[in-house]
Amino acid sequence: MTEPTDAFVAHRNLLFTVAYEMLGSAADAEDVLQETWLRWAEVDHAQVRDPRAYLVQTVTRQALNRLRTAARRREEYVGPWLPEPLLTVPDVADDVELAESVSTAVLLVLETLTPTERAVFVLREVFGLEYAEIAAAVDKSPAAVRQVAHRAREHVAARRPRAVVAPAESRAVVERFRAATGSGDLQQLMDVLAPDVVLLSDGGGKVSAALRPIRGRDKVLRFLTGVSPEGLELVPVWLNGAPAVQFVVAGRVDGIGTMLVQDGLVTALYLVRNPDKLGSLETPNALTR
């Protein structure tokens, strides 16, 4: 099994990235990788001409199965659902397209696609697979995949953030937010928030969080100042390919905040406090495509 194992390990980061972009959950992506490995171990490898293509096809099918199940669970989710934050190495930001594709804002857009549309979009637009390869993974004809890809591309284009911000600019804005929140300087915090800023907080019904989106600078400011506990520490981290903050209380991670930055201001703030989604914040992931 040495050569098959080596092949799986060589493509593991790619397979994880595909699964995470399809599912928005690091825990689910790891489960899909385990399922993919079990199927890979049982294959007659002498019959596999392209291990990378075969593994991507397998991980896509497993992720599709899980995505359809997850869609039913999310209908019952308490409050806004946000993707599970992923601790990433700063180098991910160097690949602008990859970093954008795993951003919270874009993952939320992908949530509005059907499972098949999401798979086709991810495989085509992010990873550049040929239509024939995608067709084999989603059990459709290449012609049908072209139609799905066109529909998904238009859907995402109409909803994704209008511009990609350079990492340096994003880092500067996030640092301003962190400094203002940490110091309690309300004017400085107000100055970093866009007038029409939107805040989504994900507690999953397990911890305190807003059950609906909060819109407008004044309301977001009141929410942030009202929920900040004593001894709150904001730690800079890289999440989903971009600068972010980790909220630490008494040495324990209480939540994370990722942001959408445009024109030098925070236009969307995504807070994840659901403890089930904070377990992947220990080891940085080296995503690839």
Side-chain angles (χ1 to χ4, degrees):
M1 287 294 292
T2 300
E3 290 185 9
T5 300
D6 290 345
F8 185 87
V9 170
H11 299 301
R12 189 188 187 286
N13 288 344
L14 167 66
L15 300 176
F16 177 86
T17 309
V18 171
Y20 177 74
E21 293 211 20
M22 286 185 60
L23 298 166
S25 166
D28 284 348
E30 289 290 356
D31 288 344
V32 164
L33 254 65
Q34 180 65 23
E35 293 164 1
T36 301
W37 163 250
L38 292 175
R39 282 160 176 74
W40 176 245
E42 296 173 353
V43 168
D44 181 358
H45 299 97
Q47 303 300 315
V48 178
R49 290 180 294 178
D50 186 343
R52 180 183 184 274
Y54 187 95
L55 286 166
V56 168
Q57 179 185 110
T58 304
V59 83
T60 299
R61 288 177 172 172
Q62 297 307 312
L64 270 172
N65 291 338
R66 189 167 289 254
L67 187 59
R68 292 176 179 123
T69 302
R72 292 191 290 271
R73 293 202 310 266
R74 287 169 194 171
E75 291 176 357
E76 304 170 354
Y77 199 79
V78 178
W81 180 93
L82 291 173
E84 182 181 336
L86 187 68
L87 190 65
T88 53
V89 296
D91 289 351
V92 171
D94 295 337
D95 186 334
V96 177
E97 291 184 358
L98 176 60
E100 183 194 16
S101 70
V102 296
S103 69
T104 302
V106 170
L107 288 175
L108 282 174
V109 174
L110 297 186
E111 281 292 311
T112 63
L113 298 172
T114 67
T116 300
E117 286 174 341
R118 184 166 184 168
V120 170
F121 180 86
V122 167
L123 294 178
R124 178 64 182 173
E125 300 300 318
V126 181
F127 298 98
L129 268 64
E130 298 296 330
Y131 291 114
E133 292 180 275
I134 301 173
V138 300
D139 294 324
K140 289 186 176 293
S141 69
V145 167
R146 284 181 180 273
Q147 292 180 339
V148 173
H150 176 74
R151 186 168 62 245
R153 190 161 48 245
E154 286 191 335
H155 182 96
V156 172
R159 292 164 176 79
R160 76 191 313 161
R162 67 179 185 273
V164 178
V165 178
E169 178 184 350
S170 180
R171 186 164 55 248
V173 173
V174 172
E175 179 55 32
R176 285 172 55 204
F177 173 88
R178 189 178 75 87
T181 304
S183 66
D185 188 328
L186 298 185
Q187 184 59 54
Q188 186 180 2
L189 183 55
M190 182 172 287
D191 290 343
V192 79
L193 298 175
D196 57 350
V197 62
V198 178
L199 181 148
L200 297 177
S201 60
D202 179 345
K206 300 188 176 184
V207 294
S208 177
L211 296 179
R212 295 179 180 82
I214 299 175
R215 303 179 185 277
R217 181 163 51 197
D218 291 342
K219 291 181 179 179
V220 169
L221 188 64
R222 286 198 296 271
F223 177 83
L224 291 175
T225 55
V227 301
S228 297
E230 289 292 330
L232 175 66
E233 181 183 5
L234 278 73
V235 180
V237 291
W238 283 83
L239 294 172
N240 294 73
V245 291
Q246 199 173 65
F247 301 101
V248 178
V249 179
R252 181 181 63 85
V253 177
D254 185 70
I256 62 90
T258 57
M259 301 168 213
L260 178 61
V261 173
Q262 295 178 323
D263 300 325
L265 297 172
V266 175
T267 58
L269 180 58
Y270 310 106
L271 304 180
V272 176
R273 295 198 64 229
N274 185 341
D276 293 342
K277 295 186 178 184
L278 302 178
S280 63
L281 300 178
E282 298 178 359
T283 304
N285 288 268
L287 303 181
T288 190
R289 62 184 180 127

